[in-house]
Amino acid sequence: MKFKLTFWKFVFAVIMALGTYALFVRFTQGLGASTNLTDQFPWGIWIGFDVLCGVMLAAGGFTLTAAVHIFNIKRLHAIVRPTVLTAFLGYALVSIALVIDLGRPYRIWHPLVMRNPHSVMFEVAYCVMLYLAVLSLEFSPVVLERFKLEKPLKYIKAALIPLVILGVILSTLHQSSLGTLYLIMPTKLHPFWYSPLLPVYFFISAIAVGLAMTIFESSISSKVFGRALELPILRELGRVMMVVLGVYGILRFEDLFHRGVLKLTLVPSYEMYLFWLEIALALVLPLVLLCIRKVRMSAGGLYLSAVLVVLGFITNRLNVSITGMETSAGQHYIPKWTEYSITAAIVAVGFALFGLAVKYLPIFEDTEHAPEEANAKAIAAAATAMSHAGK
Amino acid sequence: MSKALLYDATLCVGCKACEGACAEQNKLPYDETIAAEQVQSDHKFTVVLNKNEKYMRRLCMHCQDPACASVCPVGALHKTAAGPVVYEEDRCMGCRYCMAACPFGVPKYEWSKVLPKVQKCVMCPDRVAAGRPTACTEACPTGATKFGEREELIQEARDRIRQNPSNYVPHVFGIEEVGGTSVLILSGVAFEEFGLKPNELPKDPLPLYTYRVLSRIPDFVPLGGMVLGGVWWITHRREEVAAAEAAEKKEDRGGSR
Ligand code: SF4
Ligand code: SF4
Ligand code: SF4
């Protein structure tokens, strides 16, 4: 294969170079030199984005496997593999991000032997670990097929339903637990976001984002990999997403009302603007769009709504973990370049690995039917850049 | 019975003897620059705040049911029966959840170190275990910081307010806040002046807030499994039935021919 430098390969290379250097700074000079974290503000974007958003964005894995294997919605079957792959990569990268954020990364195994079951963090750690194992088993048929290993394939297929059930339970637990993490901070988190319902919100929003990510990915991959878009499937996902968003919106505003915070949402403040940004992106705009039949039926409309939902809930998680903490901390937190660089590199690696996996493994079950040429192009900037960067 | 500290701000003269004694006890550097610092930090576990010749001493409150200990995934922080909330450095993996969770912003981090640890006042556990008062208490020339049984100190604090009501804000900080603490504070000026917010702090121990949710998990797991399994059985059963019926129909038709 001949190497050709394209724009995206170049961007990828720059991101990786910066990220590597930032990583070097992080591990040789410590967190103080590589982050803008302080005693008042101990958690930054590595927790707020890499972990909270990362886990949320990987939520497609359990929503879709549940829909297909438990609720038996067969039409969605075609997109199970790419979604499980995304989930697997997502969780793997979240774990890496966590290692980078830990002050003593080499002790990451400590929760295995030093248990504190009263700690939400402990529970999250266990769920994520177990779920990563479940995801790799759920994904393993793809690899086994590729190498034609019939026997293990049979075992996995037999165990699939229990695995899926286990996966859904583990996901429900840790998706909501990420919200529970903040329940212990009633005096610190701004009332827009502190609510006894936080675990419920985190869970529902994970479902909404799981659906949105599935729409988003199918749309993108249909473009990049030249596959026919499964429009009827996406329409169905869009409809479900609309219902989920509706439920979330009603809960959220009723809760604000009952806690007497609703009137605060009209008093100008730093938090107010970010609150409304979140609500506009995650709820208002996508709901309005999806209510219009023509939009809901079109590929472009669904894609746009999905992107809005994803951005909206990313804003939500950043609001919970950063915006909502700033007043009580008495300081603004703006990440350092090192923090951005490492986050960007992790995201880039995710894209690259996805590209590689699609190239070498039967992820899209109909890939063989896709024209070879489109496929070759498909490998995408990231994938090639990745394999070359390695040399 | 557990030990506690009673700090009476009206008796404090701001000499910072406690700061110096604490630094010595914990083998931390202490000089004029550090003395002038008005925050707790990784090298200063207690600080005497000064506002217009009014003083307030801050240190870890040693909560009865500490948020920091409850959130630590590896149990590096825990409350001892004697009162102190201590830290085991070899366990800590540096997630900093304790810092995020502590309602008083106490645990501090060694940000400048490559392998940092959490730092905070641990209430001189070795001394307390040996039946001695903490270093800061011993150094206090006016008795503004007093060491003793928590119950007795609460009694004494209440007596002091009763006997001298004009001197005090009528509130002993630490009896009820976040479920009670092992550091009790009396003050002559509003606690809010020094960032202590008795009205905003819940009376319930904070760990209760998360535990209410966590404690449901053991029920949720088997229940969730049952429900999901049930749904699976129903949705797939319907299919089987449909298939069987279709097959039957075919047969019927075949038979009638
Ligand atoms: S004041 Fe903070 S650090 Fe001290 S025991 Fe309470 S929660 Fe823990
Ligand atoms: S930073 Fe250390 S002591 Fe604090 S919660 Fe994490 S592991 Fe526990
Ligand atoms: S109790 Fe001990 S560690 Fe805490 S402030 Fe006093 S001297 Fe320092």
Side-chain angles (χ1 to χ4, degrees):
Chain A
M1 198 173 12
K2 240 177 70 204
F3 180 72
K4 239 174 57 214
L5 189 73
T6 63
F7 174 70
W8 288 110
K9 282 180 207 165
F10 178 71
V11 172
F12 181 78
V14 171
I15 293 179
M16 289 318 287
L18 271 177
T20 313
Y21 180 56
L23 212 57
F24 175 75
V25 175
R26 152 71 187 94
F27 281 110
T28 52
Q29 292 174 45
L31 288 167
S34 55
T35 66
N36 277 343
L37 298 175
T38 63
D39 284 331
Q40 287 71 45
F41 215 96
W43 283 356
I45 54 164
W46 290 344
I47 296 289
F49 183 82
D50 300 14
V51 175
L52 293 190
C53 294
V55 167
M56 169 182 77
L57 294 174
F62 85 95
T63 28
L64 208 69
T65 48
V68 170
H69 295 297
I70 311 273
F71 290 88
N72 205 12
I73 308 174
K74 289 222 174 63
R75 268 155 307 171
L76 298 178
H77 197 268
I79 48 179
V80 165
R81 282 185 172 184
T83 318
V84 170
L85 171 65
T86 321
F88 177 71
L89 289 176
Y91 277 91
L93 293 172
V94 163
S95 315
I96 291 173
L98 199 62
V99 170
I100 297 171
D101 184 76
L102 285 183
R104 303 266 189 161
Y106 60 97
R107 289 179 178 166
I108 188 149
W109 55 276
H110 273 195
L112 285 174
V113 290
M114 305 171 186
R115 296 163 211 212
N116 176 14
H118 280 259
S119 163
V120 184
M121 178 86 78
F122 172 82
E123 189 234 314
V124 172
Y126 257 78
C127 281
V128 168
M129 224 154 43
L130 289 173
Y131 187 50
L132 201 55
V134 168
L135 276 172
S136 43
L137 286 176
E138 281 180 359
F139 185 68
S140 62
V142 179
V143 183
L144 298 176
E145 256 173 43
R146 170 76 176 71
F147 296 103
K148 307 216 163 24
L149 298 167
E150 297 298 338
K151 226 187 186 162
L153 197 58
K154 235 174 62 199
Y155 291 132
I156 296 274
K157 289 211 162 140
L160 188 63
I161 296 302
L163 267 180
V164 170
I165 293 183
L166 185 63
V168 174
I169 291 178
L170 289 170
S171 295
T172 309
L173 288 181
H174 72 251
Q175 289 286 357
S176 51
S177 290
L178 289 180
T180 317
L181 277 184
Y182 289 87
L183 281 186
I184 202 148
M185 310 176 201
T187 56
K188 291 193 167 180
L189 186 54
H190 191 280
F192 285 163
W193 297 285
Y194 186 87
S195 155
L197 290 181
L198 261 178
V200 180
Y201 292 157
F202 268 56
F203 179 66
I204 303 181
S205 55
I207 294 182
V209 171
L211 297 165
M213 279 300 281
T214 312
I215 298 177
F216 175 76
E217 271 167 48
S218 324
S219 312
I220 293 263
S221 57
S222 77
K223 265 208 201 80
V224 180
F225 302 110
R227 299 164 49 253
L229 191 69
E230 300 92 345
L231 193 54
I233 300 183
L234 299 193
R235 281 184 187 145
E236 198 145 330
L237 292 176
R239 207 168 308 154
V240 180
M241 187 170 78
M242 197 172 139
V243 176
V244 176
L245 288 180
V247 171
Y248 180 87
I250 292 172
L251 266 184
R252 189 82 193 274
F253 276 91
E254 259 195 272
D255 170 52
L256 285 170
F257 172 72
H258 286 308
R259 286 186 296 115
V261 195
L262 206 50
K263 50 185 186 293
L264 272 186
T265 62
L266 298 174
V267 183
S269 70
Y270 172 63
E271 285 89 358
M272 181 202 96
Y273 297 119
L274 280 147
F275 170 80
W276 283 112
L277 177 68
E278 165 194 333
I279 296 295
L281 288 173
L283 286 175
V284 180
L285 293 175
L287 276 175
V288 168
L289 279 177
L290 290 170
C291 280
I292 306 168
R293 208 189 117 82
K294 231 177 85 193
V295 177
R296 196 173 60 230
M297 290 296 160
S298 74
L302 283 165
Y303 176 73
L304 182 61
S305 323
V307 171
L308 285 168
V309 168
V310 169
L311 289 178
F313 282 107
I314 288 180
T315 316
N316 168 256
R317 300 276 157 119
L318 292 178
N319 278 344
V320 170
S321 58
I322 292 168
T323 320
M325 292 296 189
E326 288 184 311
T327 298
S328 67
Q331 74 169 75
H332 277 297
Y333 158 80
I334 294 157
K336 217 177 218 172
W337 71 268
T338 22
E339 296 180 80
Y340 286 121
S341 305
I342 289 180
T343 297
I346 288 176
V347 174
V349 167
F351 274 102
L353 289 178
F354 190 83
L356 281 178
V358 171
K359 183 180 169 195
Y360 293 109
L361 296 169
I363 305 291
F364 293 102
E365 281 152 313
D366 54 351
T367 5
E368 305 92 77
H369 310 306
E372 260 306 302
E373 200 174 320
N375 227 2
K377 257 190 233 152
I379 299 133
T384 342
M386 195 40 197
S387 52
H388 281 270
K391 278 174 200 163
Chain B
M1 287 307 262
S2 76
K3 301 289 184 198
L5 292 174
L6 170 62
Y7 169 75
D8 187 335
T10 66
L11 298 178
C12 182
V13 291
C15 69
K16 304 195 181 191
C18 51
E19 289 186 4
C22 176
E24 198 185 314
Q25 169 75 26
N26 294 291
K27 302 192 178 59
L28 297 167
Y30 193 72
D31 57 26
E32 266 168 42
T33 353
I34 295 174
E37 291 170 5
Q38 288 274 298
V39 281
Q40 296 169 72
S41 65
D42 63 344
H43 57 267
K44 189 166 182 176
F45 301 170
T46 183
V47 53
V48 180
L49 303 173
N50 178 350
K51 248 192 187 173
N52 313 318
E53 304 304 303
K54 300 280 179 206
Y55 304 103
M56 176 58 71
R57 202 181 148 206
R58 298 306 317 275
L59 67 165
C60 170
M61 299 295 290
H62 298 280
C63 310
Q64 300 287 81
D65 190 353
C68 61
S70 134
V71 300
C72 178
V74 291
L77 290 154
H78 72 272
K79 175 100 176 162
T80 58
V85 174
V86 296
Y87 170 68
E88 282 172 67
E89 197 256 305
D90 330 325
R91 285 176 168 245
C92 174
M93 54 180 197
C95 68
R96 308 187 297 285
Y97 192 11
C98 51
M99 306 174 66
C102 169
F104 303 104
V106 168
K108 303 296 180 195
Y109 212 49
E110 295 180 324
W111 296 103
S112 56
K113 303 230 168 113
V114 176
L115 294 178
K117 53 180 184 286
V118 171
Q119 289 282 30
K120 75 173 196 69
C121 152
V122 287
M123 206 165 147
C124 307
D126 298 343
R127 286 168 154 263
V128 171
R132 292 168 63 201
T134 63
C136 52
T137 315
E138 233 171 43
C140 184
T142 65
T145 301
K146 193 174 170 183
F147 178 81
E149 289 293 334
R150 182 167 187 267
E151 296 309 315
E152 288 166 21
L153 289 177
I154 289 177
Q155 209 43 55
E156 178 167 348
R158 286 188 168 138
D159 286 344
R160 286 193 204 174
I161 294 179
R162 201 173 309 127
Q163 281 155 16
N164 239 327
S166 58
N167 252 359
Y168 292 102
V169 174
H171 182 80
V172 185
F173 191 98
I175 296 183
E176 286 190 315
E177 281 78 11
V178 293
T181 62
S182 294
V183 172
L184 305 159
I185 305 176
L186 284 173
S187 172
V189 297
F191 286 99
E192 283 78 3
E193 292 252 328
F194 290 100
L196 287 165
K197 297 176 181 146
N199 294 320
E200 282 175 29
L201 288 168
K203 303 277 177 275
D204 285 335
L206 296 181
L208 220 80
Y209 286 62
T210 43
Y211 197 65
R212 274 197 277 254
V213 179
L214 270 184
S215 59
R216 303 220 178 119
I217 290 177
D219 301 328
F220 172 82
V221 172
L223 215 72
M226 282 276 289
V227 170
L228 289 170
V231 172
W232 171 80
W233 187 70
I234 292 167
T235 53
H236 287 74
R237 173 85 192 141
R238 213 181 279 149
E239 214 167 61
E240 263 171 43
V241 171
E245 275 173 0
E248 234 168 65
K249 258 187 206 155
K250 228 189 216 164
E251 228 165 65
D252 278 357
R253 241 182 283 147
S256 64
R257 250 182 225 160

